Amino acid sequence: LPLRDEASFFGRQQVVSRYIDAIKRGENRGVFGIRKAGKTSLLFKIDRIVREQKLGFVLFYDCKSPSYRSLHWNELLGEICNNIAKRLHIYIKKEYDIKNIIKSFRYVVHEAAKRNLKVVIMFDEIEYISFKSRMNTHWHSEFVDFWQTIWSVQSIHRNLVFILAGVNPTVTEIDTIDGIQNPLFSIVQSEYLQGLSEEDSRVMIRTLGRRMGIKFEHDAISVL
């Protein structure tokens, strides 16, 4: 399972620093890689630092969850609006029709900007709510509307930042979708998450080994 505490998180310091700097500058990021590479653990680490440094607040969405991927784009945006409103302790009407939800989204992001708070939205397993979705095909046509709305608000309020995570960065790299410009194209800087470095692996293995009363020789660490 993804790591939610500092005691089990090792390495990735340079990667984490890049993402925190991007959040401070209001820049979007994407982290992609094979399953179990540690992408979600990295997102949770970033969340902890955002809270520690009081930069703002993070909203995390696991897009493979049926409770999110089954929603239409305006309904998902409504969920996001409600969660931002709760964090800000403000009231908004739960009206999810397209016209009202766009107004509500602009309003809550604007309110956060007035308080000098970053709104960091993390979308894990982004493929499930994209034009690549195999389970909920309504996202093939609604992907553009969803991201055009977020992009338009972000162009006005730079306190809104999003981070995407998934297996394949195609959702950010393809320039057009059925002849329509991909809203994510060129506005997300992505990177591929690699395995731990040898030094980070050595620190992790020796630290965990000490907790279990086990010592690892250098050759064993290299193999692991």
Side-chain angles (χ1 to χ4, degrees), residues 107-148:
Y107 170 69
V108 294
V109 174
H110 176 66
E111 287 297 308
K114 289 198 300 185
R115 304 182 192 188
N116 199 29
L117 292 174
K118 295 285 185 182
V119 179
V120 184
I121 308 177
M122 295 179 174
F123 296 94
D124 199 10
E125 305 283 359
I126 186 63
E127 293 90 353
Y128 285 87
I129 60 166
S130 76
F131 53 86
K132 295 175 66 66
S133 175
R134 295 182 178 181
M135 303 183 70
N136 300 95
T137 56
H138 62 275
W139 282 103
H140 294 185
S141 59
E142 296 183 10
F143 175 85
V144 171
D145 288 334
F146 181 70
W147 286 107
Q148 277 184 342

CSV table of all heavy atoms in Angstrom, one decimal, residues 107-148:
chain,number,residue,atom,x,y,z
A,107,TYR,N,-15.5,30.8,-8.1
A,107,TYR,CA,-15.7,31.4,-6.8
A,107,TYR,C,-14.8,30.9,-5.7
A,107,TYR,O,-14.1,31.6,-5.0
A,107,TYR,CB,-17.1,31.3,-6.4
A,107,TYR,CG,-17.4,31.8,-5.0
A,107,TYR,CD1,-17.3,33.1,-4.6
A,107,TYR,CD2,-17.8,30.9,-4.0
A,107,TYR,CE1,-17.6,33.6,-3.3
A,107,TYR,CE2,-18.0,31.3,-2.7
A,107,TYR,CZ,-17.9,32.6,-2.4
A,107,TYR,OH,-18.1,33.0,-1.1
A,108,VAL,N,-14.8,29.5,-5.6
A,108,VAL,CA,-14.0,29.0,-4.5
A,108,VAL,C,-12.5,29.1,-4.7
A,108,VAL,O,-11.7,29.4,-3.7
A,108,VAL,CB,-14.3,27.5,-4.3
A,108,VAL,CG1,-15.8,27.3,-3.8
A,108,VAL,CG2,-14.1,26.6,-5.5
A,109,VAL,N,-12.0,29.1,-5.9
A,109,VAL,CA,-10.6,29.3,-6.2
A,109,VAL,C,-10.2,30.7,-5.9
A,109,VAL,O,-9.2,31.0,-5.3
A,109,VAL,CB,-10.2,28.9,-7.6
A,109,VAL,CG1,-8.8,29.2,-7.9
A,109,VAL,CG2,-10.5,27.4,-7.8
A,110,HIS,N,-11.1,31.6,-6.3
A,110,HIS,CA,-10.9,33.1,-6.0
A,110,HIS,C,-10.8,33.3,-4.5
A,110,HIS,O,-10.0,34.1,-4.0
A,110,HIS,CB,-12.0,33.9,-6.6
A,110,HIS,CG,-11.9,35.4,-6.3
A,110,HIS,ND1,-10.9,36.2,-6.8
A,110,HIS,CD2,-12.8,36.2,-5.6
A,110,HIS,CE1,-11.1,37.4,-6.4
A,110,HIS,NE2,-12.2,37.4,-5.7
A,111,GLU,N,-11.7,32.7,-3.7
A,111,GLU,CA,-11.7,32.9,-2.3
A,111,GLU,C,-10.4,32.4,-1.7
A,111,GLU,O,-9.9,33.0,-0.8
A,111,GLU,CB,-12.9,32.1,-1.7
A,111,GLU,CG,-14.2,32.8,-1.9
A,111,GLU,CD,-14.3,34.2,-1.3
A,111,GLU,OE1,-14.0,34.3,-0.1
A,111,GLU,OE2,-14.6,35.2,-2.0
A,112,ALA,N,-9.9,31.3,-2.2
A,112,ALA,CA,-8.6,30.7,-1.7
A,112,ALA,C,-7.5,31.7,-2.1
A,112,ALA,O,-6.6,31.9,-1.3
A,112,ALA,CB,-8.3,29.4,-2.3
A,113,ALA,N,-7.5,32.3,-3.2
A,113,ALA,CA,-6.5,33.3,-3.7
A,113,ALA,C,-6.5,34.5,-2.8
A,113,ALA,O,-5.4,35.0,-2.4
A,113,ALA,CB,-6.8,33.7,-5.1
A,114,LYS,N,-7.7,34.9,-2.3
A,114,LYS,CA,-7.8,36.1,-1.5
A,114,LYS,C,-7.1,35.8,-0.1
A,114,LYS,O,-6.6,36.7,0.6
A,114,LYS,CB,-9.2,36.5,-1.2
A,114,LYS,CG,-9.9,37.1,-2.5
A,114,LYS,CD,-11.1,37.9,-2.1
A,114,LYS,CE,-12.2,37.1,-1.5
A,114,LYS,NZ,-13.4,37.8,-1.2
A,115,ARG,N,-7.1,34.5,0.3
A,115,ARG,CA,-6.4,34.2,1.5
A,115,ARG,C,-5.0,33.7,1.3
A,115,ARG,O,-4.4,33.2,2.3
A,115,ARG,CB,-7.2,33.0,2.2
A,115,ARG,CG,-8.7,33.4,2.4
A,115,ARG,CD,-9.5,32.3,3.1
A,115,ARG,NE,-10.9,32.5,3.1
A,115,ARG,CZ,-11.8,31.7,3.7
A,115,ARG,NH1,-11.4,30.7,4.5
A,115,ARG,NH2,-13.1,32.0,3.6
A,116,ASN,N,-4.5,33.9,0.1
A,116,ASN,CA,-3.1,33.5,-0.2
A,116,ASN,C,-2.8,32.0,0.0
A,116,ASN,O,-1.8,31.7,0.5
A,116,ASN,CB,-2.1,34.4,0.6
A,116,ASN,CG,-0.7,34.4,-0.1
A,116,ASN,OD1,-0.6,34.2,-1.3
A,116,ASN,ND2,0.3,34.5,0.8
A,117,LEU,N,-3.8,31.2,-0.4
A,117,LEU,CA,-3.7,29.8,-0.2
A,117,LEU,C,-3.6,29.1,-1.5
A,117,LEU,O,-4.3,29.3,-2.5
A,117,LEU,CB,-4.9,29.2,0.6
A,117,LEU,CG,-5.1,29.6,2.0
A,117,LEU,CD1,-6.4,29.1,2.5
A,117,LEU,CD2,-3.9,29.0,2.9
A,118,LYS,N,-2.6,28.1,-1.6
A,118,LYS,CA,-2.5,27.3,-2.8
A,118,LYS,C,-3.5,26.2,-2.7
A,118,LYS,O,-3.7,25.6,-1.7
A,118,LYS,CB,-1.1,26.7,-2.9
A,118,LYS,CG,0.0,27.7,-3.1
A,118,LYS,CD,0.0,28.2,-4.6
A,118,LYS,CE,1.3,29.1,-4.8
A,118,LYS,NZ,1.3,29.6,-6.2
A,119,VAL,N,-4.2,25.9,-3.9
A,119,VAL,CA,-5.1,24.8,-4.0
A,119,VAL,C,-4.4,23.8,-4.9
A,119,VAL,O,-4.3,24.0,-6.1
A,119,VAL,CB,-6.5,25.2,-4.5
A,119,VAL,CG1,-7.4,24.0,-4.7
A,119,VAL,CG2,-7.1,26.3,-3.7
A,120,VAL,N,-4.0,22.7,-4.3
A,120,VAL,CA,-3.2,21.7,-5.0
A,120,VAL,C,-4.2,20.5,-5.2
A,120,VAL,O,-4.5,19.8,-4.2
A,120,VAL,CB,-2.0,21.2,-4.3
A,120,VAL,CG1,-1.2,20.3,-5.1
A,120,VAL,CG2,-1.1,22.5,-3.9
A,121,ILE,N,-4.5,20.2,-6.4
A,121,ILE,CA,-5.4,19.0,-6.7
A,121,ILE,C,-4.6,17.9,-7.3
A,121,ILE,O,-4.0,18.1,-8.4
A,121,ILE,CB,-6.6,19.4,-7.6
A,121,ILE,CG1,-7.3,20.7,-7.1
A,121,ILE,CG2,-7.6,18.3,-7.8
A,121,ILE,CD1,-8.4,21.2,-8.0
A,122,MET,N,-4.6,16.8,-6.7
A,122,MET,CA,-3.9,15.6,-7.2
A,122,MET,C,-4.9,14.6,-7.7
A,122,MET,O,-5.8,14.2,-7.1
A,122,MET,CB,-3.1,14.9,-6.0
A,122,MET,CG,-2.0,15.8,-5.4
A,122,MET,SD,-1.2,14.9,-4.1
A,122,MET,CE,0.2,16.1,-3.7
A,123,PHE,N,-4.6,14.2,-9.0
A,123,PHE,CA,-5.4,13.2,-9.6
A,123,PHE,C,-4.5,11.9,-9.8
A,123,PHE,O,-3.7,11.9,-10.7
A,123,PHE,CB,-5.9,13.7,-11.0
A,123,PHE,CG,-6.8,14.8,-10.9
A,123,PHE,CD1,-6.4,16.1,-11.0
A,123,PHE,CD2,-8.2,14.6,-10.7
A,123,PHE,CE1,-7.2,17.2,-10.9
A,123,PHE,CE2,-9.1,15.7,-10.6
A,123,PHE,CZ,-8.6,17.0,-10.7
A,124,ASP,N,-4.7,10.9,-9.0
A,124,ASP,CA,-4.0,9.7,-9.1
A,124,ASP,C,-4.7,8.7,-10.1
A,124,ASP,O,-6.0,8.7,-10.1
A,124,ASP,CB,-3.8,9.0,-7.8
A,124,ASP,CG,-2.7,8.0,-7.7
A,124,ASP,OD1,-1.9,7.9,-8.7
A,124,ASP,OD2,-2.6,7.3,-6.7
A,125,GLU,N,-4.0,7.9,-10.8
A,125,GLU,CA,-4.6,7.0,-11.8
A,125,GLU,C,-5.4,7.8,-12.8
A,125,GLU,O,-6.6,7.5,-13.1
A,125,GLU,CB,-5.4,5.9,-11.1
A,125,GLU,CG,-4.7,5.1,-10.1
A,125,GLU,CD,-3.8,4.1,-10.6
A,125,GLU,OE1,-3.7,4.0,-11.9
A,125,GLU,OE2,-3.1,3.4,-9.9
A,126,ILE,N,-4.8,8.8,-13.4
A,126,ILE,CA,-5.5,9.8,-14.3
A,126,ILE,C,-6.1,9.1,-15.5
A,126,ILE,O,-7.1,9.6,-16.0
A,126,ILE,CB,-4.6,10.9,-14.7
A,126,ILE,CG1,-5.3,12.0,-15.5
A,126,ILE,CG2,-3.4,10.4,-15.5
A,126,ILE,CD1,-6.4,12.7,-14.7
A,127,GLU,N,-5.6,8.0,-15.9
A,127,GLU,CA,-6.1,7.3,-17.1
A,127,GLU,C,-7.6,7.0,-17.0
A,127,GLU,O,-8.3,6.9,-18.0
A,127,GLU,CB,-5.4,6.0,-17.4
A,127,GLU,CG,-3.9,6.2,-17.8
A,127,GLU,CD,-3.0,6.2,-16.6
A,127,GLU,OE1,-3.5,6.2,-15.4
A,127,GLU,OE2,-1.7,6.2,-16.8
A,128,TYR,N,-8.1,6.8,-15.8
A,128,TYR,CA,-9.5,6.3,-15.6
A,128,TYR,C,-10.5,7.4,-15.8
A,128,TYR,O,-11.7,7.1,-16.0
A,128,TYR,CB,-9.7,5.8,-14.1
A,128,TYR,CG,-9.1,4.4,-13.9
A,128,TYR,CD1,-7.7,4.3,-13.6
A,128,TYR,CD2,-9.8,3.3,-14.1
A,128,TYR,CE1,-7.2,3.0,-13.4
A,128,TYR,CE2,-9.3,2.0,-13.9
A,128,TYR,CZ,-8.0,1.9,-13.6
A,128,TYR,OH,-7.4,0.6,-13.4
A,129,ILE,N,-10.0,8.7,-15.9
A,129,ILE,CA,-11.0,9.8,-16.2
A,129,ILE,C,-10.4,10.5,-17.4
A,129,ILE,O,-10.5,11.8,-17.5
A,129,ILE,CB,-11.2,10.7,-15.0
A,129,ILE,CG1,-9.9,11.4,-14.6
A,129,ILE,CG2,-11.9,10.0,-13.9
A,129,ILE,CD1,-10.2,12.6,-13.7
A,130,SER,N,-10.0,9.8,-18.4
A,130,SER,CA,-9.4,10.4,-19.6
A,130,SER,C,-10.0,9.8,-20.9
A,130,SER,O,-10.8,8.8,-20.8
A,130,SER,CB,-7.9,10.2,-19.6
A,130,SER,OG,-7.5,8.9,-19.9
A,131,PHE,N,-9.5,10.2,-22.0
A,131,PHE,CA,-10.0,9.7,-23.3
A,131,PHE,C,-9.4,8.3,-23.5
A,131,PHE,O,-9.8,7.6,-24.5
A,131,PHE,CB,-9.5,10.6,-24.4
A,131,PHE,CG,-8.1,10.9,-24.4
A,131,PHE,CD1,-7.1,10.1,-25.0
A,131,PHE,CD2,-7.6,12.0,-23.8
A,131,PHE,CE1,-5.8,10.4,-25.0
A,131,PHE,CE2,-6.3,12.4,-23.8
A,131,PHE,CZ,-5.4,11.5,-24.4
A,132,LYS,N,-8.6,7.8,-22.5
A,132,LYS,CA,-8.1,6.4,-22.6
A,132,LYS,C,-8.9,5.4,-21.7
A,132,LYS,O,-8.6,4.3,-21.6
A,132,LYS,CB,-6.6,6.4,-22.2
A,132,LYS,CG,-5.7,7.1,-23.1
A,132,LYS,CD,-4.3,7.2,-22.6
A,132,LYS,CE,-3.6,5.8,-22.5
A,132,LYS,NZ,-3.5,5.2,-23.9
A,133,SER,N,-9.9,6.0,-21.0
A,133,SER,CA,-10.7,5.1,-20.1
A,133,SER,C,-11.4,4.0,-20.8
A,133,SER,O,-12.1,4.2,-21.9
A,133,SER,CB,-11.7,6.0,-19.4
A,133,SER,OG,-12.5,5.2,-18.5
A,134,ARG,N,-11.3,2.8,-20.3
A,134,ARG,CA,-12.0,1.7,-20.9
A,134,ARG,C,-13.3,1.3,-20.1
A,134,ARG,O,-14.1,0.6,-20.7
A,134,ARG,CB,-11.1,0.4,-20.9
A,134,ARG,CG,-9.8,0.6,-21.8
A,134,ARG,CD,-9.0,-0.7,-21.8
A,134,ARG,NE,-7.8,-0.5,-22.6
A,134,ARG,CZ,-6.9,-1.5,-22.8
A,134,ARG,NH1,-7.1,-2.7,-22.2
A,134,ARG,NH2,-5.9,-1.3,-23.6
A,135,MET,N,-13.4,1.8,-18.9
A,135,MET,CA,-14.5,1.4,-18.1
A,135,MET,C,-15.6,2.4,-18.1
A,135,MET,O,-16.8,2.1,-18.0
A,135,MET,CB,-14.0,1.2,-16.6
A,135,MET,CG,-12.9,0.2,-16.5
A,135,MET,SD,-12.4,-0.1,-14.8
A,135,MET,CE,-13.9,-1.0,-14.2
A,136,ASN,N,-15.3,3.7,-18.2
A,136,ASN,CA,-16.3,4.8,-18.2
A,136,ASN,C,-16.1,5.7,-19.4
A,136,ASN,O,-15.4,6.7,-19.4
A,136,ASN,CB,-16.2,5.6,-16.9
A,136,ASN,CG,-16.5,4.7,-15.7
A,136,ASN,OD1,-15.5,4.3,-15.1
A,136,ASN,ND2,-17.7,4.5,-15.3
A,137,THR,N,-16.7,5.2,-20.5
A,137,THR,CA,-16.4,5.8,-21.8
A,137,THR,C,-16.9,7.3,-22.0
A,137,THR,O,-16.6,7.9,-23.0
A,137,THR,CB,-16.9,5.0,-23.0
A,137,THR,OG1,-18.3,4.7,-22.8
A,137,THR,CG2,-16.2,3.6,-23.0
A,138,HIS,N,-17.8,7.7,-21.1
A,138,HIS,CA,-18.3,9.1,-21.2
A,138,HIS,C,-17.1,10.1,-21.0
A,138,HIS,O,-17.2,11.2,-21.5
A,138,HIS,CB,-19.3,9.4,-20.1
A,138,HIS,CG,-18.9,9.3,-18.7
A,138,HIS,ND1,-18.9,8.1,-18.0
A,138,HIS,CD2,-18.4,10.2,-17.8
A,138,HIS,CE1,-18.5,8.3,-16.8
A,138,HIS,NE2,-18.2,9.6,-16.7
A,139,TRP,N,-16.0,9.7,-20.4
A,139,TRP,CA,-14.8,10.5,-20.3
A,139,TRP,C,-14.1,10.8,-21.6
A,139,TRP,O,-13.3,11.7,-21.8
A,139,TRP,CB,-13.8,10.0,-19.3
A,139,TRP,CG,-14.3,10.3,-17.9
A,139,TRP,CD1,-14.9,9.4,-17.0
A,139,TRP,CD2,-14.3,11.5,-17.2
A,139,TRP,NE1,-15.2,10.0,-15.8
A,139,TRP,CE2,-14.8,11.3,-15.9
A,139,TRP,CE3,-13.8,12.8,-17.5
A,139,TRP,CZ2,-14.9,12.4,-15.0
A,139,TRP,CZ3,-13.9,13.8,-16.6
A,139,TRP,CH2,-14.5,13.6,-15.4
A,140,HIS,N,-14.4,9.9,-22.6
A,140,HIS,CA,-13.8,10.1,-24.0
A,140,HIS,C,-14.2,11.5,-24.5
A,140,HIS,O,-13.4,12.2,-25.2
A,140,HIS,CB,-14.2,9.0,-24.9
A,140,HIS,CG,-13.7,7.7,-24.6
A,140,HIS,ND1,-13.9,6.6,-25.3
A,140,HIS,CD2,-13.0,7.3,-23.5
A,140,HIS,CE1,-13.3,5.5,-24.8
A,140,HIS,NE2,-12.8,5.9,-23.6
A,141,SER,N,-15.4,11.9,-24.3
A,141,SER,CA,-15.9,13.2,-24.8
A,141,SER,C,-15.9,14.3,-23.7
A,141,SER,O,-15.9,15.4,-24.0
A,141,SER,CB,-17.4,13.0,-25.3
A,141,SER,OG,-18.2,12.5,-24.3
A,142,GLU,N,-16.0,13.9,-22.4
A,142,GLU,CA,-16.0,14.9,-21.4
A,142,GLU,C,-14.7,15.3,-20.8
A,142,GLU,O,-14.6,16.3,-20.1
A,142,GLU,CB,-16.9,14.3,-20.2
A,142,GLU,CG,-18.3,14.1,-20.6
A,142,GLU,CD,-19.2,13.6,-19.5
A,142,GLU,OE1,-18.7,13.7,-18.3
A,142,GLU,OE2,-20.4,13.2,-19.7
A,143,PHE,N,-13.6,14.6,-21.2
A,143,PHE,CA,-12.3,15.0,-20.8
A,143,PHE,C,-11.9,16.4,-21.1
A,143,PHE,O,-11.4,17.1,-20.3
A,143,PHE,CB,-11.3,14.0,-21.4
A,143,PHE,CG,-9.8,14.3,-21.2
A,143,PHE,CD1,-9.2,13.8,-20.0
A,143,PHE,CD2,-9.1,15.0,-22.1
A,143,PHE,CE1,-7.9,14.1,-19.8
A,143,PHE,CE2,-7.8,15.3,-21.9
A,143,PHE,CZ,-7.1,14.8,-20.7
A,144,VAL,N,-12.2,16.8,-22.3
A,144,VAL,CA,-11.9,18.1,-22.8
A,144,VAL,C,-12.6,19.2,-22.0
A,144,VAL,O,-12.1,20.2,-21.6
A,144,VAL,CB,-12.2,18.3,-24.3
A,144,VAL,CG1,-12.0,19.8,-24.7
A,144,VAL,CG2,-11.2,17.4,-25.1
A,145,ASP,N,-14.0,19.0,-21.8
A,145,ASP,CA,-14.7,20.0,-21.0
A,145,ASP,C,-14.2,20.2,-19.6
A,145,ASP,O,-14.1,21.3,-19.1
A,145,ASP,CB,-16.2,19.6,-21.0
A,145,ASP,CG,-16.9,19.8,-22.3
A,145,ASP,OD1,-16.5,20.6,-23.1
A,145,ASP,OD2,-17.9,19.1,-22.5
A,146,PHE,N,-13.9,19.1,-19.0
A,146,PHE,CA,-13.4,19.1,-17.6
A,146,PHE,C,-12.1,19.9,-17.5
A,146,PHE,O,-11.9,20.8,-16.7
A,146,PHE,CB,-13.1,17.6,-17.1
A,146,PHE,CG,-12.6,17.5,-15.7
A,146,PHE,CD1,-13.5,17.8,-14.7
A,146,PHE,CD2,-11.3,17.1,-15.5
A,146,PHE,CE1,-13.0,17.7,-13.3
A,146,PHE,CE2,-10.9,17.0,-14.2
A,146,PHE,CZ,-11.7,17.3,-13.1
A,147,TRP,N,-11.1,19.6,-18.4
A,147,TRP,CA,-9.8,20.2,-18.3
A,147,TRP,C,-9.8,21.6,-18.9
A,147,TRP,O,-9.0,22.5,-18.4
A,147,TRP,CB,-8.7,19.4,-18.9
A,147,TRP,CG,-8.4,18.2,-18.0
A,147,TRP,CD1,-8.8,16.9,-18.2
A,147,TRP,CD2,-7.7,18.2,-16.8
A,147,TRP,NE1,-8.3,16.1,-17.2
A,147,TRP,CE2,-7.7,16.9,-16.3
A,147,TRP,CE3,-7.2,19.3,-16.0
A,147,TRP,CZ2,-7.1,16.6,-15.0
A,147,TRP,CZ3,-6.6,19.0,-14.8
A,147,TRP,CH2,-6.5,17.7,-14.3
A,148,GLN,N,-10.7,21.9,-19.8
A,148,GLN,CA,-10.8,23.3,-20.3
A,148,GLN,C,-11.3,24.2,-19.2
A,148,GLN,O,-10.8,25.3,-19.1
A,148,GLN,CB,-11.7,23.4,-21.5
A,148,GLN,CG,-11.1,23.0,-22.9
A,148,GLN,CD,-12.0,23.2,-24.0
A,148,GLN,OE1,-13.2,23.2,-23.9
A,148,GLN,NE2,-11.5,23.2,-25.2
